[in-house]
Amino acid sequence: MQVPAQVEYEKATSVQHALALLARYGPEAKVLAGGHSLIPMMKLRLAQPEVLVDINGLTDLCFIDRVADELRIGTLTRHAQLLESELAGEHFAILHDAERVIADPIVRNWGTVGGSLCQADPSEDLSAAFAAMKGTMVIEGPGGSREVSARAFHTGPYETVVGPSELLTEIRLPIRPGHQRGGSAYLKVARRAGDWPVGAAGAAVWLTDGIVADVGIGLTAVGARHFVAAEAEEFLLGRPADEENLARAGEIAAEHCRPVTDQRGPADYKRHLVRELTARVLRAALSRAGGLAGRPS
Amino acid sequence: MKLTLTVNGTEYARTIEPRLLLIHFLRDELGLTGSHWGCDTSNCGACVVWLDETPVKSCTVLAAMTDGRRVTTVEGLARNGVLDPVQEGFSACHGLQCGFCTPGMMMTARWLLDRNPNPTAAEVREAISGQICRCTGYENIVRSVLWAAGNDGNDGNEGNDGNDGSDDDGRD
């Protein structure tokens, strides 16, 4: 039987109230959103906060909106809501690809987008997806709000730049102008339904005349710094989006990630996965963007 | 802390420890032992109950989080002594053997059918993909849910045996 250690409980009624509670209790307080990462860790006593600040009542953090040329996602949005959002799927197919393979439908009903990101598990899917899309995180604190790139959000496994008296409130994703043809996708290999990935890759690509004008590649669970395959992105930039270059990008991504051998597979197999998945997910993103260049017709 | 919530239409007020998990609150405090305490790690789904309108795994929700909310358990499925078509379906199609996973399966099935009254076998399998059955190989559970889909509303003339001929991809 797994039972969390004794803990105090506070129910936040607004973002400001949550921030005041976090300021009052300090680093021994933990924000409780869906709880689907935190509660299991508390049951295993891997996490032992003194106070839980429950933010499930902050329904104003539960939204998916388009504001000008940005998609804005509130951090209390449940995974199921993001998966069902037509607006999110229309602009960022990668989000639906990723959400479809996060845990299972019941966990997705209650687990939250912000909770997943702040848990910062190296095997968590949305971190790589938002990194691929070059999103921006909005963090509220006692001194007001600040914005941090999704690519600078994580400082290590289970660690983010969100301070003990701060709250991640929103993710912003830039919607590119129509003349840049873009597409995105996410692919994951897991051992069974609902499991964490052995490895996964996400890509967002924008083309101008068949040339890669911008690209983001995210990698999950394979030791990529900030969940990003930066060297592979650099290689593709300005090059034709053809099969040869996609394959090379996969090789580069595999070379530079640092997977570890664990119960989900040996490091060399994970590296192999990165090579394959990177090329495939780029192909999938490009096909959504309007096709590969240089293909024999 | 003081907890006030509505379970299966009845309001309860209790003083609880904040660390108490919802599954234990339901079973040990309220005596609602229909929901089963299974893997304790949010993998098996035997503990699925509804929190407001959606199924959740109650081993991974604190009872404290349900303050002011509505919880529905398998005991709340039947209305006025009349079984829900989902319950009828599990009976008619032998959707259980040991019965341990059944309460969770039925709560998810009811939720699925409320949102999607005519699911395919593949959609049923996707809906229950976070729940584990070690007896049936899932075949009869899928049949039971499809039977319920055909008999929802109790008009009795759209019943089928759950075999829609599609047999989807054969995977569990």
Side-chain angles (χ1 to χ4, degrees):
Chain A
M1 179 167 173
Q2 300 175 3
V3 176
Q6 282 192 335
V7 65
E8 299 282 310
Y9 173 89
E10 295 274 7
K11 188 150 115 178
T13 53
S14 68
V15 170
Q16 288 314 313
H17 185 217
L19 292 176
L21 289 168
L22 291 172
R24 187 197 309 165
Y25 290 109
E28 295 311 316
K30 272 274 180 198
V31 174
L32 175 64
H36 276 52
S37 300
L38 179 57
I39 293 172
M41 287 185 82
M42 288 174 66
K43 288 161 85 172
L44 294 167
R45 310 289 170 109
L46 292 170
Q48 211 161 314
E50 288 173 8
V51 186
L52 290 175
V53 176
D54 183 351
I55 61 164
N56 283 285
L58 308 189
T59 47
D60 51 341
L61 292 184
C62 206
F63 61 86
I64 302 167
D65 290 330
R66 182 178 181 163
V67 178
D69 54 355
E70 280 181 336
L71 185 75
R72 298 184 172 183
I73 302 168
T75 43
L76 198 67
T77 301
R78 311 282 169 186
H79 290 294
Q81 292 170 323
L82 187 52
L83 180 55
E84 281 163 17
S85 164
E86 284 179 22
L87 182 64
E90 178 195 337
H91 292 290
F92 301 102
I94 184 174
L95 290 177
H96 281 188
D97 289 351
E99 282 293 357
R100 207 169 282 124
V101 294
I102 290 175
D104 61 64
I106 308 301
V107 168
R108 291 198 294 264
N109 277 341
W110 201 240
T112 65
V113 170
S116 285
L117 292 170
C118 289
Q119 174 70 9
D121 190 300
S123 300
E124 194 280 310
D125 298 283
L126 288 183
S127 299
F130 287 127
M133 290 177 294
K134 305 184 181 179
T136 301
M137 316 303 211
V138 181
I139 300 167
E140 295 283 342
S145 79
R146 64 189 177 111
E147 294 187 5
V148 176
S149 158
R151 295 175 165 223
F153 183 73
H154 300 93
T155 50
Y158 307 101
E159 287 180 359
T160 73
V161 297
V162 180
S165 56
E166 291 183 316
L167 191 65
L168 177 67
T169 55
E170 190 174 316
I171 301 112
R172 295 180 180 170
L173 302 172
I175 296 172
R176 312 286 175 109
H179 66 264
Q180 266 194 4
R181 292 163 71 184
S184 63
Y186 191 82
L187 280 176
K188 166 166 159 175
V189 171
R191 294 174 308 170
R192 53 172 193 262
D195 198 10
W196 295 99
V198 180
V205 192
W206 293 269
L207 294 176
T208 305
D209 300 329
I211 302 294
V212 176
D214 197 3
V215 57
I217 303 172
L219 296 176
T220 305
V222 291
R225 205 162 162 265
H226 296 304
F227 295 89
V228 174
E231 295 81 2
E233 291 175 351
E234 206 172 301
F235 167 79
L236 278 177
L237 211 57
R239 285 193 155 83
D242 59 24
E243 281 291 351
E244 196 180 322
N245 284 333
L246 300 196
R248 183 69 195 124
E251 284 166 15
I252 294 171
E255 259 167 53
H256 286 88
C257 67
R258 301 175 68 186
V260 293
T261 295
D262 61 15
Q263 79 274 23
R264 288 194 170 77
D268 59 343
Y269 170 62
K270 292 183 182 183
R271 220 177 267 282
H272 164 79
L273 270 186
V274 170
R275 185 165 58 238
E276 269 308 314
L277 288 178
T278 300
R280 287 187 198 180
V281 81
L282 282 165
R283 209 176 287 138
L286 281 164
S287 104
R288 284 172 176 164
L292 279 169
R295 229 180 199 176
S297 51
Chain B
M1 64 171 283
K2 181 95 181 290
L3 169 68
T4 307
L5 80 167
T6 304
V7 181
N8 301 331
T10 304
E11 192 172 295
Y12 295 89
R14 291 285 192 281
T15 300
I16 59 158
E17 276 193 271
R19 64 172 169 168
L20 182 65
L21 299 164
L22 178 57
I23 183 64
H24 298 312
F25 175 77
L26 293 170
R27 290 177 56 86
D28 303 343
E29 278 290 325
L30 303 188
L32 295 171
T33 52
S35 306
H36 288 159
W37 172 39
C39 72
D40 216 2
T41 57
S42 72
N43 281 292
C44 82
C47 65
V48 168
V49 302
W50 288 17
L51 183 47
D52 293 333
E53 309 301 331
T54 49
V56 298
K57 293 182 172 176
S58 62
C59 73
T60 308
V61 173
L62 297 175
M65 295 162 79
T66 67
D67 187 47
R69 294 181 186 266
R70 281 172 295 122
V71 171
T72 308
T73 69
V74 70
E75 287 93 340
L77 264 189
R79 296 288 165 90
N80 305 318
V82 180
L83 292 181
D84 188 282
V86 167
Q87 293 170 304
E88 296 274 14
F90 272 71
S91 169
C93 301
H94 203 64
L96 61 145
Q97 289 175 36
C98 87
F100 198 81
C101 72
T102 313
M105 291 289 182
M106 294 201 299
M107 295 311 286
T108 298
R110 181 71 268 156
W111 172 70
L112 170 70
L113 296 181
D114 284 353
R115 291 156 47 98
N116 179 0
N118 289 299
T120 63
E123 287 168 334
V124 174
R125 285 175 188 272
E126 163 65 16
I128 61 168
S129 62
Q131 291 166 254
I132 293 173
C133 171
R134 289 301 188 217
C135 301
T136 63
Y138 303 95
E139 203 59 42
N140 283 356
I141 293 176
V142 174
R143 280 202 187 107
S144 303
V145 180
L146 294 175
W147 186 98
N151 288 274
D152 251 352
N154 277 337
D155 55 11
N157 57 16
E158 281 183 84
N160 61 49
D161 62 1
N163 185 354
D164 64 356
S166 68
D167 201 29
D168 61 290
D169 55 10
R171 285 183 305 170
D172 285 329

